[in-house]
Amino acid sequence: MVARELVRSMRVFGAVQGLRVMRSAWRRRRTDARDLPPRGPERARVPGTVTGVEPQPGGGTVRFTRAVLQVRVTAGGTVFWGWDGAGPEPSYALGGAPPAPDPRAVLEPDKDGGWRIVAKRVTVAVSRTGGVEVLTPGGVVLRRDLPPRWWEPAGGGPVRWIQRTEVAADARFFGLGGRSAGPRLRDGTYRLWNTDPRGRFGPGDDPLYITMPVQLVVADAGTHLAFLDNTWEGAVALREGEEGAGSGHDRPGTIEVRMAGGPLRCWVVVGTPARVLRGWTALTGAPALPPSWALGPQHARWGFGSAQEVRRVVAGYRERGLPLAALHLDIDHYDGHRVFTVDRVRFPDLPGLAEELRDGGVRLVSIVDPAVKAEPGNAVYDSGVRVGAFVRDGRGREVRGVVWPGECVFPDYTDPGVREWWGGWYEERLAQGFSGVWHDMNEPVSFVPFGDMTLPRSSRHSLEGRGGDHREAHNVYGLAMARAGYEALRRLLPDERPFLFSRSGWAGMQRYGGTWSGDVATGWPGLRASLSLVLGLGLCGVPYSGPDVGGFDGNPSPELYLRWFQLGAYLPLFRTHAAIDAGRREPWEFGPQVLGHAKAVLLERERLRPYFVTLAHLARLTGAPYVRPLWWGAPGDRALRDCEDAFLLGDAYLVAPVMEAGADRRAVRLPRGRWYDTVSGEAHEGPGQVLLHAPLSRIPVLVRAGAVVPVRGADGGTELEVWPPVPGRTGGGFVVEDGGGRREGGSVRPRVERYASKWVGGRVVVERVVGGGAVPPERPVRVRAGGGS
């Protein structure tokens, strides 16, 4: 086995690098064997029975014979409970101080010796043996957590545990971070360990770069989100329920969470999907607002190779009238792959190149990897050694691994001082003219020929001064790196909004930016996985994301590339990208027909830029993702809960991408209401299913009747595009103006304009809701689909 992996490593990385990879793998195994003692005999424990209670604001403490449970309801209706002294803090997920308890919540005795907390929006029942139920105010059970079980090593060490949960028989599961098999998660076991899938992935690969213990459960009885705030390695086993036929009994759906250590504590948010996401982002922090240019088309490639090639590509966009907002430079622009350097031969004047492109409306974005080449004379390494920045093993030695630059060390971003030190290096990126950064390889990755490509689990981390090892720090490594970069950019550019997105992260990562799909495999299954990731991450509170359009590896056919391009144009992060050996991905490389259709959807994306800007602001204000599942407004519609190949873009649009080769039409499930085809104007009534034309030139895009959508007019200003409401009904929409890349200061909130549409005297009219009166003159109104003027 080892010999076979050695041959494989040499073939993949080359002889010298392959030997380094094998040496790194052996070193990792030896370190873990030395510093992670075997667990030995264990004692199993369950809570036992209730022995007493202590009322507290919002709830209280319930004591059992072998455990203690703290439970409370917050003022916003969110539920928290923690076992054995586990409180809300410390937490990498929370965006600030924990929410205050609800002073009106009442702790009172319940049946069979249990207790319950009664609040306005939710009831929590604690059974005599330690089960926890979350119920609606009407008494309908949304979630039943059975008494947990712990296993404690007799010789000391981390306590592992298991929590089993029952939900309604009709419930569907979503969430758990970025899952390629979603967005609806079928029966199976999903690992909680951020992982690089070794260069490519498709719908069957799990786990991926971003895993979160965030469960979103949708059932007829209601929607709820449960977050088990624990960063350790774990696994979540899901099993959908089954409704009994006739007088038969229902079999509930089940969730089983197993964690290798860490606290057992849980947050639950209940309500409509919109209320749940609002509560979740209130808990974990508002999404970072991208600068408006980052909502335009972006282009990347691993292997531009030189400033000359960058200019050629940008000129190609300009000559063909294709909009381009940003171009991303991958690791090949570094000097020997060393972070925070520039290859001066291939990019002799990078600041001049950046200024030249910016004058033409194109920004440069830089990749930043965490791995630092362990080489004396490397300025980043020498500086890090002086401040003690790098992760160490149990004996105090630097932990080393092999990444693109060769033998590397890894900053410990869980140390506040290291985050500040690392953030100082972003000044070099800004000096080179870059307008933003994308974090890659930050699971973190260390090449090994077998097992997880990461650091030894015994590696020591600061964990904000508490101390711990990589088993606890691994899943938040990318999150902490994103924090370091984001806070640095805010400090270095105090008047601008930072642009940062990260391949890896954890719950709360939206505070620092967005993410992208990572190395999705080129192929029709990869196209489907792209949409799954964006939808799933949005339901976990990360609204800004998108795939590598065209897939990361391989060479897409012209049809596949175009269908991917058409999907990407309606996703928040619209970026083409490819591996170094995957060929060029500029639209003109696929022939004149593809170029023409790609140009059309690029121009439509630019026309919708004011709408994307509005969605970005609304995501920050309300937590609602730009891209939403079809059941977002009707979670009780079971047919919509099972629909995974179409999505809502905000409240106005329904987008139905083409996911199969050769398809020129596709079936689309419609939510309730009237929907117009944006090209033909034809009206379709929902709920129900319709068959729509999907020629190669476009994918079906429908718009809700009554929608008022901000779009870019011919003069570059924002105008209101209105689609007639159903007679006798009204519609509406929002407009949020944007300052470009400027950052709102202090508590200043953006101005949200709300408009309503209705029929008056045989014509469609639009009125401003806030403040009343007519639409201001700077907002021209254009009625579509024959609704008058």
Side-chain angles (χ1 to χ4, degrees):
M1 176 67 180
V2 173
R4 185 162 60 248
E5 292 294 347
L6 175 61
V7 172
R8 179 180 178 275
S9 296
M10 291 183 175
R11 185 166 58 246
V12 172
F13 301 110
V16 175
Q17 194 82 319
L19 286 172
R20 288 175 178 162
V21 167
M22 289 299 300
R23 186 168 63 247
S24 174
W26 287 328
R27 188 165 56 224
R28 188 180 77 170
R29 285 188 169 187
R30 186 172 63 250
T31 300
D32 281 346
R34 181 190 68 219
D35 295 339
L36 288 181
R39 294 185 63 87
E42 296 179 314
R43 292 188 295 263
R45 175 169 61 91
V46 295
T49 56
V50 172
T51 61
V53 298
E54 299 172 13
Q56 294 162 345
T61 297
V62 184
R63 299 188 179 277
F64 299 82
T65 53
R66 291 179 292 276
V68 177
L69 173 67
Q70 177 191 6
V71 58
R72 74 183 188 208
V73 179
T74 72
T78 299
V79 180
F80 171 81
W81 68 82
W83 287 95
D84 293 342
E89 297 180 302
S91 171
Y92 278 97
L94 299 190
D102 183 355
R104 300 166 297 178
V106 178
L107 176 66
E108 58 186 32
D110 200 7
K111 60 186 178 181
D112 300 326
W115 292 81
R116 65 178 178 176
I117 301 170
V118 180
K120 181 179 178 180
R121 294 178 179 171
V122 68
T123 297
V124 183
V126 180
S127 75
R128 182 175 62 90
T129 56
V132 180
E133 289 183 345
V134 178
L135 305 90
T136 68
V140 178
V141 177
L142 297 176
R143 179 183 187 87
R144 177 181 293 114
D145 280 29
L146 305 178
R149 181 180 294 267
W150 297 269
W151 286 268
E152 302 170 333
V159 177
R160 61 188 182 94
W161 51 263
I162 181 172
Q163 175 69 72
R164 294 187 174 94
T165 303
E166 294 180 349
V167 295
D170 66 285
R172 296 291 181 262
F173 303 117
F174 301 86
L176 297 183
R179 304 287 170 169
S180 63
R184 173 185 163 193
L185 301 177
R186 265 66 174 188
D187 292 1
T189 299
Y190 300 86
R191 193 173 166 214
L192 298 171
W193 187 256
N194 293 351
T195 301
D196 179 350
R198 296 178 178 270
R200 57 175 289 172
F201 70 87
D205 293 310
D206 189 89
L208 297 178
Y209 314 97
I210 301 172
T211 66
M212 299 181 194
V214 179
Q215 312 154 15
L216 188 73
V217 183
V218 184
D220 288 353
T223 301
H224 75 271
L225 179 149
F227 168 53
L228 288 157
D229 191 353
N230 185 316
T231 68
W232 282 66
E233 181 176 10
V236 181
L238 303 177
R239 184 185 181 191
E240 292 182 352
E242 184 176 340
E243 294 180 291
S247 59
H249 293 290
D250 288 352
R251 177 175 60 79
T254 60
I255 306 166
E256 182 181 278
V257 180
R258 292 176 178 266
M259 302 298 292
L264 174 45
R265 54 185 178 175
C266 184
W267 293 90
V268 177
V269 189
V270 303
T272 64
R275 181 180 289 277
V276 165
L277 265 294
R278 182 189 292 267
W280 174 238
T281 53
L283 185 67
T284 60
L289 188 66
S292 59
W293 60 261
L295 295 168
Q298 304 179 49
H299 185 73
R301 193 171 81 223
W302 179 10
F304 279 123
S306 67
Q308 181 180 358
E309 175 66 4
V310 168
R311 289 188 173 95
R312 185 194 71 81
V313 170
V314 173
Y317 273 86
R318 290 174 180 161
E319 291 164 3
R320 295 166 176 85
L322 304 177
L324 180 65
L327 187 139
H328 300 204
L329 296 187
D330 211 316
I331 55 175
D332 51 290
H333 87 279
Y334 283 138
D335 180 9
H337 294 161
R338 297 172 183 85
V339 67
F340 301 123
T341 65
V342 176
D343 185 327
R344 300 293 181 183
V345 174
R346 292 182 294 167
F347 293 89
D349 182 16
L350 190 52
L353 174 64
E355 183 177 7
E356 171 190 327
L357 297 183
R358 183 188 282 264
D359 288 344
V362 179
R363 270 81 171 179
L364 278 184
V365 175
S366 172
I367 191 173
V368 173
D369 286 354
V372 175
K373 186 174 179 62
E375 177 184 62
N378 175 8
V380 182
Y381 175 71
D382 291 344
S383 172
V385 169
R386 286 194 297 270
V387 300
F390 303 121
V391 175
R392 296 182 176 272
D393 64 17
R395 296 185 176 183
R397 299 183 227 178
E398 292 174 349
V399 171
R400 298 195 175 192
V402 177
V403 197
W404 300 118
E407 191 165 68
C408 294
V409 290
F410 302 84
D412 181 9
Y413 302 112
T414 70
D415 184 326
V418 174
R419 287 197 296 269
E420 185 174 359
W421 165 80
W422 180 261
W425 288 98
Y426 286 71
E427 187 171 8
E428 183 272 342
R429 293 288 87 186
L430 299 179
Q432 298 297 339
F434 289 108
S435 299
V437 296
W438 53 294
H439 289 174
D440 203 350
M441 307 288 284
N442 58 337
E443 289 70 36
V445 172
S446 174
F447 296 144
V448 294
F450 39 78
D452 292 322
M453 295 200 299
T454 188
L455 306 184
R457 281 167 165 74
S458 58
S459 304
R460 303 299 299 171
H461 291 264
S462 168
L463 290 166
E464 314 308 315
R466 293 180 289 110
D469 61 40
H470 198 67
R471 292 173 296 179
E472 183 178 359
H474 174 83
N475 283 335
V476 293
Y477 189 88
L479 172 76
M481 181 186 181
R483 178 179 177 180
Y486 182 79
E487 290 178 346
L489 293 174
R490 281 179 62 97
R491 184 173 62 251
L492 294 167
L493 297 173
D495 296 325
E496 296 185 22
R497 297 202 296 265
F499 178 55
L500 184 151
F501 61 104
S502 173
R503 190 171 80 171
S504 184
W506 201 65
M509 65 180 294
Q510 74 276 357
R511 299 190 298 265
Y512 313 120
T515 184
W516 89 104
S517 66
D519 302 339
V520 61
T522 297
W524 293 94
L527 171 61
R528 185 174 294 272
S530 295
L531 178 56
S532 298
L533 285 162
V534 175
L535 281 166
L537 287 163
L539 294 175
C540 290
V542 186
Y544 183 83
S545 68
D548 284 347
V549 168
F552 180 70
D553 67 329
N555 295 287
S557 68
E559 180 191 11
L560 174 60
Y561 174 82
L562 179 59
R563 291 308 196 190
W564 216 315
F565 204 88
Q566 290 166 337
L567 167 62
Y570 293 97
L571 300 179
L573 172 59
F574 180 22
R575 182 183 88 142
T576 55
H577 185 46
I580 194 168
D581 56 352
R584 292 171 173 169
R585 292 286 171 82
E586 294 78 45
W588 56 87
E589 298 290 345
F590 294 86
Q593 183 183 38
V594 169
L595 173 61
H597 299 330
K599 181 176 181 179
V601 76
L602 271 175
L603 295 175
E604 178 65 5
R605 168 72 178 227
E606 285 299 278
R607 195 179 75 89
L608 293 177
R609 179 83 73 90
Y611 184 59
F612 275 92
V613 168
T614 294
L615 293 180
H617 281 276
L618 293 179
R620 181 166 179 80
L621 293 171
T622 71
Y626 313 29
V627 171
R628 309 164 188 177
L630 294 186
W631 49 260
W632 177 261
D637 187 328
R638 297 189 180 188
L640 293 180
R641 293 208 296 256
D642 293 341
C643 183
E644 303 176 275
D645 60 354
F647 61 92
L648 301 175
L649 179 62
D651 286 332
Y653 290 99
L654 189 160
V655 182
V658 174
M659 302 285 196
E660 298 177 355
D664 60 1
R665 65 179 65 187
R666 60 151 298 171
V668 179
R669 176 71 60 177
L670 300 180
R672 183 176 299 277
R674 177 174 296 175
W675 297 84
Y676 296 104
D677 186 301
T678 55
V679 173
S680 69
E682 182 180 0
H684 304 276
E685 301 294 333
Q689 184 167 282
V690 295
L691 188 64
L692 300 178
H693 291 290
L696 191 62
S697 60
R698 66 183 180 92
I699 58 175
V701 179
L702 306 177
V703 64
R704 192 187 303 270
V708 179
V709 182
V711 299
R712 180 174 289 174
D715 62 353
T718 299
E719 65 181 30
L720 302 181
E721 185 170 86
V722 187
W723 296 82
V726 175
R729 298 190 177 184
T730 61
F734 295 91
V735 179
V736 183
E737 283 290 1
D738 190 88
R742 306 290 291 179
R743 193 169 89 207
E744 292 84 0
S747 60
V748 176
R749 292 165 63 91
R751 188 181 71 177
V752 180
E753 303 172 13
R754 183 181 175 189
Y755 295 92
S757 64
K758 60 183 178 179
W759 285 94
V760 176
R763 60 193 295 267
V764 176
V765 299
V766 177
E767 296 178 346
R768 185 164 54 178
V769 175
V770 179
V775 178
E778 69 270 17
R779 294 275 184 269
V781 176
R782 185 162 60 96
V783 180
R784 298 286 301 271
S789 60

